[in-house]
Amino acid sequence: MFRTKRSGLVRRLWRSRLIPDKEGEDGIGKTGEKQELKSATYALLKRLKEKALDTLLEAVESRGGMPSDCVMVSRTELRFGGHVASPQLLVCKLYRWSDLQHSAQLKPLCECRSFGAPDSPTVCCNPYHYSRLCGPESPPPPYSRLSPNEEHKPLDASMSPDAPKQSHWCNVAYWEHRTRVGRLYTVYEHSVSIFYDLPQGTGFCLGQLNLEHRSSTVQRTRGKIGYGILLSKEPDGVWAYNRSEHPIFVNSPTLDVPNSRTLVVRKVMPGYSIKVFDYERSFLLRHTTEADLLDGPYDPNSVRISFAKGWGPCYSRQFITSCPCWLEILLNNHR
């Protein structure tokens, strides 16, 4: 009976994959490669106990909308397509990004047991405990190339769940065009979810903020926020993970090109993450703010994030106050 249930879970997980059976749709078009993928997948799933299979299936079927535990497995690599693939690469390729090529493109979320543990004999293979790193744009700021060693440092003592509660590290303001909606949301924990509709979600729920006479544009954009973002304070800076199904757009002093009048607004696709504020670089930068770029609230220690709509030189909206729904992250570390 138990073997039958376990086999059923494995079959459901295989059917839930992103990569289709039809050839030529995903860059894995050869029948032999499909068979290798299936063999590698079954080899990985056979390592998991029934409880771990249940956890993995719940994460996959909810598309990360439900809180889920880590699914730990031996770090032993699997052979696929003439190469070896890590367990986390295989599951993320199966269930999230079929074009994923390297584990270095992945970043464990700060709540995952694999965060800050690159040398552990086990690794989490829950695909929704990972984000995909944004690559540098062209032309990139000279300081935008990220060091892998910096990205995966373990959480320091102030971020440990057992550490005494510290003072808040940021406040979050939600804006619709030029109107701030609701009060400032104060963040004490090392990470916070900011969302419109997240099953069993805790954090800053934008869907509960009421405002009379919302325009149809704002209403449509609010509907695109969905699972929103995960904002986390990590040893190397503040990171934003886009959990929604639409792009987010980000600007901060440490993303701007030094001594340039050009405002840099980064587009972050669904499932991707970006370091939105670098503490060390913020000390080094002598950021000069041009008066004609300022429109509405601005703070040199702040990050601005717009949901679904971009702004700046590459967009019809020149200022963020023209965006229907946006956030202002007011960092407390320099105050």
Side-chain angles (χ1 to χ4, degrees), residues 46-285:
K46 284 179 182 178
R47 299 183 190 176
L48 303 179
K49 295 182 179 180
E50 186 176 302
K51 183 179 179 181
L53 288 170
D54 269 323
T55 299
L56 181 58
L57 183 63
E58 184 179 73
V60 168
E61 291 187 337
S62 71
R63 301 177 69 182
M66 303 291 287
S68 57
D69 293 331
C70 287
V71 179
M72 305 305 292
V73 68
S74 167
R75 197 177 280 273
T76 306
E77 296 181 321
L78 303 115
R79 185 161 294 280
F80 161 61
H83 304 282
V84 291
S86 63
Q88 68 270 31
L89 174 64
L90 180 62
V91 293
C92 287
K93 190 177 184 71
L94 276 172
Y95 299 114
R96 301 199 65 187
W97 305 285
S98 61
D99 63 335
L100 192 66
Q101 298 298 320
H102 304 288
S103 297
Q105 296 172 286
L106 296 172
K107 178 183 183 297
L109 301 183
C110 61
E111 60 202 23
C112 179
R113 286 163 60 185
S114 287
F115 180 88
D119 300 321
S120 171
T122 59
V123 65
C124 178
C125 64
N126 184 333
Y128 287 93
H129 280 196
Y130 291 87
S131 63
R132 192 167 175 176
L133 286 167
C134 284
E137 293 185 343
S138 181
Y143 49 79
S144 70
R145 303 187 185 280
L146 307 180
S147 164
N149 293 329
E150 288 182 356
E151 290 169 13
H152 300 295
K153 287 180 182 176
L155 294 174
D156 55 42
S158 67
M159 299 178 190
S160 167
D162 299 323
K165 199 168 186 179
Q166 305 295 317
S167 63
H168 73 282
W169 62 271
C170 78
N171 286 305
V172 182
Y174 169 64
W175 297 79
E176 292 176 0
H177 294 297
R178 292 175 174 272
T179 302
R180 199 181 88 187
V181 183
R183 297 182 179 181
L184 287 177
Y185 185 89
T186 302
V187 181
Y188 295 93
E189 304 298 330
H190 68 267
S191 66
V192 61
S193 291
I194 304 171
F195 58 94
Y196 182 82
D197 182 19
L198 182 65
Q200 298 185 13
T202 58
F204 189 10
C205 180
L206 305 180
Q208 295 179 347
L209 300 180
N210 296 317
L211 182 68
E212 293 183 0
H213 310 303
R214 278 193 171 107
S215 69
S216 59
T217 301
V218 169
Q219 290 175 351
R220 285 194 302 270
T221 306
R222 280 171 61 82
K224 294 179 179 179
I225 296 173
Y227 293 176
I229 66 170
L230 179 70
L231 194 70
S232 57
K233 178 184 178 184
E234 302 181 16
D236 60 343
V238 178
W239 286 79
Y241 164 44
N242 184 4
R243 303 180 68 184
S244 76
E245 296 182 355
H246 299 272
I248 60 172
F249 299 83
V250 181
N251 167 259
S252 86
T254 62
L255 290 176
D256 280 342
V257 178
N259 303 317
S260 172
R261 292 172 58 89
T262 303
L263 183 76
V264 175
V265 177
R266 292 291 301 271
K267 182 178 183 179
V268 183
M269 297 301 291
Y272 281 70
S273 66
I274 186 172
K275 189 195 296 186
V276 295
F277 198 91
D278 188 305
Y279 295 132
E280 184 177 353
R281 290 167 184 162
S282 70
F283 284 111
L284 300 176
L285 289 173

